[in-house]
Amino acid sequence: MTLTLEQAQAMIAAATAKAKELNVKMNIAVVDAGANLTAFVRMDGAWLGSVDISIKKAKTARFFDMPTGEIGKISQPGGSLYNIEHSNNGLITFPGGIPIKAANGEIIGAIGVSGDSVENDHTVASAGLEAYK
Amino acid sequence: MTLTLEQAQAMIAAATAKAKELNVKMNIAVVDAGANLTAFVRMDGAWLGSVDISIKKAKTARFFDMPTGEIGKISQPGGSLYNIEHSNNGLITFPGGIPIKAANGEIIGAIGVSGDSVENDHTVASAGLEAYK
Amino acid sequence: MTLTLEQAQAMIAAATAKAKELNVKMNIAVVDAGANLTAFVRMDGAWLGSVDISIKKAKTARFFDMPTGEIGKISQPGGSLYNIEHSNNGLITFPGGIPIKAANGEIIGAIGVSGDSVENDHTVASAGLEAYK
Amino acid sequence: MTLTLEQAQAMIAAATAKAKELNVKMNIAVVDAGANLTAFVRMDGAWLGSVDISIKKAKTARFFDMPTGEIGKISQPGGSLYNIEHSNNGLITFPGGIPIKAANGEIIGAIGVSGDSVENDHTVASAGLEAYK
């Protein structure tokens, strides 16, 4: 299964619509199975620093095939993966990155969102994910 | 004048249409006045190595407010800007990056395209630019 | 004493066998006395983000001649080596990296494993180490 | 089509055999369709500087779906892709990297070899490629 640009753009459109509904400004990135960037948008007025964060969230979610926030729970001081963020030219391990799973269970990419609270980032990423089919 | 996401996406759509017409697969990036990524797409099957190159072309064009190919002419051995590519975490100075000029003459961003010959890269970037209004 | 490729490959084969026994998918790296990569494998389906982590674990173990988890104990907030992970283009200081000691006591390299819990990573690295002779 | 570790290791074994036949010491890397490292070996006594070069050759060949030497022909001073090497955290554009093509024509990875003359590097990479099936 390969993630197509059309699928990635549909996910980004859905994520953008959710961001507007929440009245937040987001950076939204989608990577493919190889963790390579497929599509990206920065909504007008969204944080510049979140360009890189949204891309790193998408990559991190695909690197470890789990939502980024799950990694953050165990990368804290005293946690089993403390300071894992130093690998892979920088990971982002708070919520907002989610793997994309095909109908056959295969993980074919990930979406990453950054621009507001991590709760809103995750909500917007989830809305994008729901548009995948 | 500020480049909007809507404008960037219209430019990317026009560039994508031209790429399909030429039967080539492109990576297309748009940056804003601050040389920060605004939108990006990788067409299905386009070169993975051109993700970074298209973004660097767009940044390079805005960094110096001229088409990337113009810089390449003077970055050659013996040229006045020899090896300028070492700056800014890497420039790309062959054709495919073009500044976006507003009606008032202000440069408000740039488009960068990579995925085929530099002639086709430039043609597709130009087609994207024409969609700006 | 010099670590040979044949020895490194025997260690990787033993580590891979242990990973299969545990039903986990690992990235396994071996570095030599100079902390330079000697051999590496990524098992089918193993995390992409663990390519870099397994290599960094092997390097970290040789950089300081101790298991990576030992360093992690004192790189915590308030610890004597707080944030040592910022050095050497990124260290990984949780378990999974172990130095390789020759019969004469000399440290001649290290093995690094990443792909599952740190306990399993360490177990698989230990299994690889046992194949050294 | 996905490149398996077993296929990558068979290619590395064949490349290593050819290197021994030529009496040269090589670094040999294989990446998958996403340009992520799948397997690597450094033969005893091979150049340390070629660890990175062999990996970059494999990545470069997959980034642009062509043998690395083809890119080098047009990245020379005055060439259309002059200084493309500044992209993607460094490309290597002289011979020794070759894409791996599946029976259905899909490119599923690449092999990169470094350690001797570029002619020998390419010959050894080709020998590895022949073992793919």
Side-chain angles (χ1 to χ4, degrees):
Chain A
M1 298 292 295
T2 301
L3 182 72
T4 65
L5 175 56
E6 192 178 347
Q7 290 171 320
Q9 287 180 315
M11 294 175 65
I12 286 180
T16 304
K18 172 59 78 176
K20 285 179 178 165
E21 185 189 316
L22 295 173
N23 200 26
V24 293
K25 297 163 181 172
M26 296 295 194
N27 286 262
I28 307 163
V30 173
V31 300
D32 65 12
N36 294 296
L37 192 63
T38 299
F40 168 85
V41 305
R42 174 160 48 93
M43 293 172 68
D44 294 335
W47 288 333
L48 295 179
S50 287
V51 175
D52 186 50
I53 293 177
S54 64
I55 295 172
K56 281 190 164 60
K57 281 184 181 176
K59 292 192 178 203
T60 299
R62 171 52 184 150
F63 281 157
F64 303 101
D65 293 345
M66 65 180 81
T68 49
E70 295 305 304
I71 302 167
K73 288 177 188 168
I74 47 180
S75 68
Q76 303 294 320
S80 60
L81 302 186
Y82 175 58
N83 265 350
I84 190 175
E85 294 83 0
H86 289 264
S87 69
N88 294 288
N89 290 319
L91 301 176
I92 292 294
T93 59
F94 44 81
I98 313 179
I100 304 166
K101 196 176 283 195
N104 67 358
E106 201 184 336
I107 292 179
I108 58 168
I111 183 168
V113 174
S114 177
D116 202 74
S117 68
V118 294
E119 291 78 13
N120 280 339
D121 290 355
H122 183 81
T123 298
V124 170
S126 298
L129 199 63
E130 278 166 32
Y132 169 74
K133 52 190 169 192
Chain B
M1 298 292 295
T2 302
L3 181 73
T4 65
L5 175 56
E6 192 179 347
Q7 291 172 318
Q9 288 181 312
M11 294 175 65
I12 286 180
T16 303
K18 172 60 79 176
K20 286 179 179 166
E21 185 189 314
L22 296 173
N23 200 26
V24 293
K25 297 163 182 172
M26 295 297 194
N27 286 262
I28 307 162
V30 173
V31 300
D32 66 10
N36 296 296
L37 192 63
T38 299
F40 168 85
V41 305
R42 173 159 48 94
M43 293 172 67
D44 294 335
W47 287 334
L48 294 178
S50 287
V51 174
D52 186 52
I53 292 178
S54 65
I55 295 172
K56 280 188 164 56
K57 281 184 180 176
K59 292 193 177 201
T60 299
R62 170 53 183 151
F63 282 157
F64 302 102
D65 292 345
M66 64 181 82
T68 47
E70 296 305 305
I71 302 168
K73 288 178 188 167
I74 48 179
S75 68
Q76 302 292 322
S80 58
L81 302 186
Y82 174 56
N83 264 349
I84 190 175
E85 293 84 0
H86 287 266
S87 69
N88 297 287
N89 291 320
L91 299 178
I92 291 293
T93 59
F94 44 81
I98 313 178
I100 303 166
K101 195 176 284 193
N104 66 358
E106 201 184 337
I107 291 180
I108 59 168
I111 183 170
V113 174
S114 177
D116 202 76
S117 69
V118 295
E119 290 77 14
N120 279 339
D121 290 354
H122 184 79
T123 297
V124 169
S126 297
L129 199 63
E130 279 166 31
Y132 169 73
K133 53 191 170 192
Chain C
M1 297 292 296
T2 302
L3 181 72
T4 65
L5 175 56
E6 192 178 347
Q7 289 172 319
Q9 287 180 313
M11 293 175 65
I12 285 180
T16 304
K18 172 60 78 176
K20 286 180 178 166
E21 185 190 315
L22 295 173
N23 200 27
V24 293
K25 297 163 182 171
M26 295 297 193
N27 285 262
I28 307 163
V30 174
V31 300
D32 65 10
N36 295 296
L37 191 63
T38 299
F40 168 85
V41 304
R42 174 160 47 94
M43 293 172 68
D44 294 335
W47 287 335
L48 294 178
S50 287
V51 175
D52 187 51
I53 292 178
S54 64
I55 295 172
K56 281 188 164 55
K57 281 184 180 175
K59 292 192 178 203
T60 299
R62 170 53 183 149
F63 282 158
F64 303 102
D65 292 344
M66 63 182 83
T68 47
E70 295 305 305
I71 302 167
K73 288 178 187 167
I74 48 181
S75 69
Q76 303 292 323
S80 58
L81 302 184
Y82 174 57
N83 265 350
I84 189 174
E85 294 84 0
H86 287 266
S87 69
N88 296 288
N89 290 320
L91 299 178
I92 291 293
T93 59
F94 43 82
I98 313 179
I100 304 166
K101 194 176 285 192
N104 67 357
E106 201 182 337
I107 291 179
I108 59 168
I111 183 169
V113 174
S114 177
D116 203 75
S117 68
V118 295
E119 291 77 13
N120 280 339
D121 290 355
H122 183 80
T123 297
V124 169
S126 298
L129 198 64
E130 279 166 31
Y132 170 74
K133 51 191 168 192
Chain D
M1 298 292 296
T2 302
L3 182 73
T4 65
L5 175 57
E6 192 178 348
Q7 289 172 321
Q9 287 181 314
M11 293 175 66
I12 286 181
T16 304
K18 172 60 77 175
K20 285 180 179 166
E21 185 189 315
L22 295 173
N23 199 26
V24 293
K25 298 163 181 171
M26 295 295 193
N27 286 261
I28 307 163
V30 174
V31 300
D32 66 11
N36 294 298
L37 191 63
T38 299
F40 168 86
V41 305
R42 174 161 47 92
M43 293 172 68
D44 295 334
W47 288 332
L48 294 179
S50 286
V51 175
D52 187 50
I53 292 177
S54 64
I55 295 172
K56 279 189 164 58
K57 281 184 180 176
K59 292 193 177 203
T60 299
R62 170 53 184 151
F63 281 157
F64 303 101
D65 294 344
M66 66 180 80
T68 48
E70 296 304 304
I71 303 168
K73 288 177 186 168
I74 48 179
S75 69
Q76 302 294 320
S80 60
L81 302 185
Y82 175 57
N83 264 350
I84 190 175
E85 294 83 0
H86 288 265
S87 69
N88 294 288
N89 290 319
L91 301 176
I92 292 295
T93 60
F94 45 81
I98 313 179
I100 303 167
K101 196 176 285 194
N104 66 358
E106 200 184 336
I107 292 179
I108 59 167
I111 183 169
V113 174
S114 177
D116 202 75
S117 67
V118 295
E119 290 79 13
N120 280 339
D121 290 354
H122 183 79
T123 297
V124 169
S126 298
L129 198 63
E130 279 166 32
Y132 169 73
K133 53 190 169 193

